[in-house]
Amino acid sequence: MKYFAIVGCGHIANKHIEAIARTEGAELLALCDTNQARLDDLRAVTTAKLYTDMAAMLQAEPRIDVICICTPSGLHASLAIQAAQAGKHLIIEKPISLTLADADAIIEAVASSGVKAAVVHPNRYRPAMKQLKRALEEENFGKLSHVNATVRWNRNQAYYDQAPWRGTKLMDGGVLMNQAIHNLDLLLWLFGPVAKVKSIVDTRIRDIEAEDVAVAALKFESGALGTVEAATTIFDKNLEESIGVFGEYGYAIVGGKTANWIKEWKSSKMTQDQIESLIRDIEHDPFGVSGHQCIIEDMVRAIDEGRSPAVTVEDGKRAIQLVIDIVDDGYIG
């Protein structure tokens, strides 16, 4: 049995609580948050011990194997380092940090402590994304001309106003670091490293410090071109999230309000029966097992098998490196 604790009990902590409960060989031992009222609200859904200080939790609960860091992003580094130095394995919510220096500090603490650490990029586990990854590995689209990632979402002013850290550069980041980070991770995971970035980034609609809209042109080391469009300014509702790939032998678009459905798929390297079967499988179960549960399960196995987690802290650093490159090149606010 692997014993888990969660530090930071905002909305995202509920996904970790559910994922741990559904994972064989995992048990939630403790919750930690500086807000006692928030902890009290969780009493109805868990029997875990409650703490308002992580150091006190570590001292009182020596059985803890893994700590899930679910605080505002600007706090990830200090808490992750503290947990690693205490010999605890880590699952860190996205983004791993808001700066490269903090990411490097986490990576160093993990290496020197000999613990395992994963970053929560759960969209890799979506059934359609796994099929897209497989198709790319089998070169079913041939040489790629270009790819794209689109995030057209609504986060209204009330969303940002619900907590003073939201939308700040120090604690939260903007649309790229907070919302589109998942899609940038997918671009890197699916298509490899980015060699060049040209972008325009601005704060157009929301009253926040960080950007609320960004567009970027990328060139991957493979030679493929890419585009990114990310916004939280879309009126009224989430409109679209998609990943598209276009190559010499075909194309695919995985999209919808969330990128869970195959909207287009054509490949001269696949039979029509293969394509139709793939699409039917995705339509039958577009969500699959929760990505958070997959990450929890993978951590349990990684500890047992003495290997690195599937989504590493180095992966987390590469995603924020791309965010920083886009913002640094293009911010005009």
Side-chain angles (χ1 to χ4, degrees), residues 53-265:
D53 178 74
M54 190 169 87
M57 180 187 73
L58 289 169
Q59 184 174 11
E61 304 290 348
R63 290 190 298 164
I64 292 171
D65 296 298
V66 184
I67 293 181
C68 300
I69 305 294
C70 300
T71 60
S73 303
L75 299 175
H76 286 180
S78 60
L79 294 168
I81 291 168
Q82 183 183 354
Q85 290 173 344
K88 308 304 180 184
H89 304 294
L90 295 167
I91 294 176
I92 307 170
E93 263 296 336
K94 60 77 184 171
I96 184 175
S97 64
L98 296 178
T99 69
L100 293 175
D102 279 349
D104 285 335
I106 293 171
I107 291 169
E108 171 59 28
V110 166
S112 61
S113 301
V115 299
K116 303 184 186 305
V119 180
V120 180
H121 285 298
N123 294 10
R124 295 187 185 193
Y125 293 95
R126 290 175 173 177
M129 289 302 168
K130 292 193 290 184
Q131 290 290 351
L132 183 57
K133 176 73 167 175
R134 178 180 176 183
L136 289 163
E137 290 172 345
E138 295 176 352
E139 300 184 345
N140 286 336
F141 305 114
K143 182 179 180 180
L144 302 184
S145 62
H146 66 291
V147 303
N148 62 46
T150 302
V151 181
R152 295 170 176 161
W153 281 354
N154 171 273
R155 296 293 184 270
N156 61 23
Q157 194 60 46
Y159 166 85
Y160 291 106
D161 291 345
Q162 65 183 306
W165 56 269
R166 289 194 180 275
T168 65
K169 294 180 180 179
L170 183 63
M171 295 297 290
D172 186 32
V175 62
L176 290 168
M177 196 69 86
N178 198 355
Q179 283 80 29
I181 188 78
H182 290 304
N183 311 86
L184 299 182
D185 172 71
L186 287 174
L187 289 182
L188 295 168
W189 181 59
L190 293 168
F191 308 117
V194 171
K196 187 175 182 179
V197 172
K198 297 299 291 182
S199 58
I200 301 176
V201 177
D202 205 358
T203 311
R204 292 285 300 154
I205 305 294
R206 307 303 177 215
D207 182 17
I208 59 174
E209 183 182 21
E211 84 284 347
D212 61 9
V213 62
V215 293
L218 314 176
K219 184 168 186 177
F220 291 84
E221 288 185 3
S222 67
L225 304 185
T227 61
V228 174
E229 176 193 342
T232 54
T233 58
I234 304 306
F235 176 70
D236 193 44
K237 64 181 180 181
N238 289 351
L239 191 63
E240 176 187 357
E241 177 192 15
S242 65
I243 296 285
V245 53
F246 305 89
E248 61 180 327
Y249 302 137
Y251 52 81
I253 299 173
V254 179
K257 286 189 177 181
T258 58
N260 288 90
W261 288 269
I262 294 175
K263 309 302 287 186
E264 301 285 347
W265 192 292

Side-chain angles (χ1 to χ4, degrees), residues 1-7 16-17 19-21 23-32 46 48-49 51 57 61 63-69 88-92 118 292-303:
M1 181 64 67
K2 303 299 180 292
Y3 295 104
F4 283 72
I6 298 171
V7 177
H16 288 255
I17 293 171
I20 293 165
T23 298
E24 184 177 352
E27 182 177 330
L28 181 60
L29 208 60
L31 296 168
C32 180
T46 180
K49 300 289 183 62
Y51 296 89
M57 180 187 73
E61 304 290 348
R63 290 190 298 164
I64 292 171
D65 296 298
V66 184
I67 293 181
C68 300
I69 305 294
K88 308 304 180 184
H89 304 294
L90 295 167
I91 294 176
I92 307 170
H292 281 77
Q293 182 177 337
C294 291
I295 288 168
I296 298 290
E297 290 174 346
D298 179 69
M299 176 60 78
V300 171
R301 291 195 301 269
I303 295 169

